[in-house]
Every structure is written in structure tokens, then in C-alpha cells.
Amino acid sequence: MKKFNIITHITTACNFDCSYCDVVKDGRKLSTSTLEKIIDFVEKNHDNIGRFKFFGGEPLLAFKNMKKLIEATEWNIWKNYEIVTNTSLLKPEVWEYLEKYFSHIFFSIDSENDFSYDKVIRIIGEYNLEGKLYFNLVISPGKEQFAREQFEKLYKSGMRWFNILPVYFT
């Protein structure tokens, strides 16, 4: 049987307000009962689960719930967790967690908001994240040059996994 992936929107909250984003940012987070149902589902189906992806809003705004879910299920799907984050809430506790449990880390670099290339690259060097990092480079109208500069910096530093996402469809 082919394995399937789970994507959970752990929260609709986000600390950014991107013009193109269609997530209704009403601040909802998964309830305790929903978390328990997900944990139960993983326990019953762990042999068929390939990866488990945290999405949002900004999933790190629900870091406590994310940790609860991982700590209850990690023995079933060890290190097959993924996250899509805007990088703004990365701090040592989060980096250590990403290094320990996550196989894929997607950084959404949005040209509409602050992205601290220097901060992210400096911290990446402190953790064992080789082969885990992917970049979603969002190019907003009027921000093409900024996006190009970020891409060039990342590429020159050795990063090679990019999704280029132009926002011209909004």
C-alpha cells in the first residue's frame, strides 16, 4: 500500500498580512479534542503515513500544540515531520526542535515582509539541517528586485532547493 501524507493547518493565525494570502486569519488553533483525534488517527495508521506537514497561517504561533502532537506521535513517524514557516519566529528552542524532528523545513520568504537573510544563514550554520531546507520564494509585484537579491544570496551560500512563486495571479 502506498503511504499518504498528512497536512494539518495547526492554526489560522499569522503574524504577517500578505496581500495574496487566502488564509482567513481569524486566529483559530486546533482544539485539544481535535489534537487527540489526530494523535489517535496517527497511532492507528502509522504504517501508512509517509510525512506529516504543519501548515498555517504561521504554524510556529501554535508551537505548543505542534510539540504536543509530535511528542505523542513521534515514535510512530519519527523524523517525518515537515513545516512551512515564514522564518520570523525562529529562535534557539525552535531550531533545536526542527533539527531533531523534521525531515523537511520550508522557509517561505515573502518579498512583502522582512526576511533576515543574515539571521537565518547564521543560525542555519549552528544546526545540522543539511538536506532539510527548502525555500518558497514569493515574488510580489514591485518587489522583484528584492526577491532576486534574496535568491542570489541564498544560492551563493549553497542553498539549492527553491520553489519560485510569483504572485501575479492575485
Side-chain angles (χ1 to χ4, degrees):
M1 176 181 210
K2 186 176 178 179
K3 293 189 175 203
F4 60 87
N5 298 327
I6 297 174
I7 300 173
T8 183
H9 287 253
I10 196 156
T11 183
T12 59
C14 189
N15 53 334
F16 286 167
D17 190 24
C18 304
S19 63
Y20 59 85
C21 183
D22 60 358
V23 174
V24 177
K25 296 171 189 77
D26 56 10
R28 288 180 293 153
K29 295 180 182 175
L30 292 181
S31 67
T32 301
S33 66
T34 301
L35 279 172
E36 289 170 3
K37 288 176 185 172
I38 293 171
I39 291 165
D40 184 56
F41 180 84
V42 170
E43 288 175 353
K44 290 178 181 172
N45 296 283
H46 63 89
D47 288 337
N48 299 318
I49 297 172
R51 295 185 191 154
F52 192 109
K53 183 182 264 186
F54 293 96
F55 208 75
E58 171 51 51
L60 293 177
L61 287 171
F63 189 58
K64 286 182 183 178
N65 280 348
M66 188 170 71
K67 285 174 63 174
K68 279 183 198 174
L69 206 151
I70 289 172
E71 288 164 9
T73 62
E74 55 121 338
W75 65 275
N76 286 310
I77 53 176
W78 179 247
K79 290 192 176 183
N80 284 321
Y81 298 96
E82 298 183 359
I83 189 170
V84 178
T85 177
N86 64 28
T87 74
S88 66
L89 301 172
L90 296 172
K91 54 188 178 185
E93 174 191 11
V94 175
W95 280 105
E96 290 167 11
Y97 215 76
L98 294 177
E99 178 184 37
K100 182 175 181 180
Y101 291 104
F102 286 75
S103 62
H104 293 75
I105 303 163
F106 293 85
F107 290 155
S108 286
I109 303 167
D110 185 329
S111 59
E112 288 185 17
N113 299 295
D114 284 338
F115 168 70
S116 176
Y117 165 84
D118 295 325
K119 174 186 167 189
V120 170
I121 291 300
R122 180 175 30 84
I123 295 174
I124 287 171
E126 296 174 17
Y127 297 91
N128 182 20
L129 301 173
E130 190 172 331
K132 296 182 179 186
L133 295 180
Y134 302 84
F135 293 87
N136 294 330
L137 185 58
V138 181
I139 306 171
S140 297
K143 301 287 188 168
E144 298 87 348
Q145 186 59 37
F146 175 80
R148 180 185 172 102
E149 290 166 5
Q150 299 309 307
F151 172 79
E152 287 175 352
K153 286 180 182 179
L154 290 164
Y155 192 83
K156 285 177 184 175
S157 70
M159 303 301 162
R160 294 296 186 265
W161 296 96
F162 294 91
N163 294 317
I164 307 295
L165 308 167
V167 184
Y168 296 102
F169 57 85
T170 58

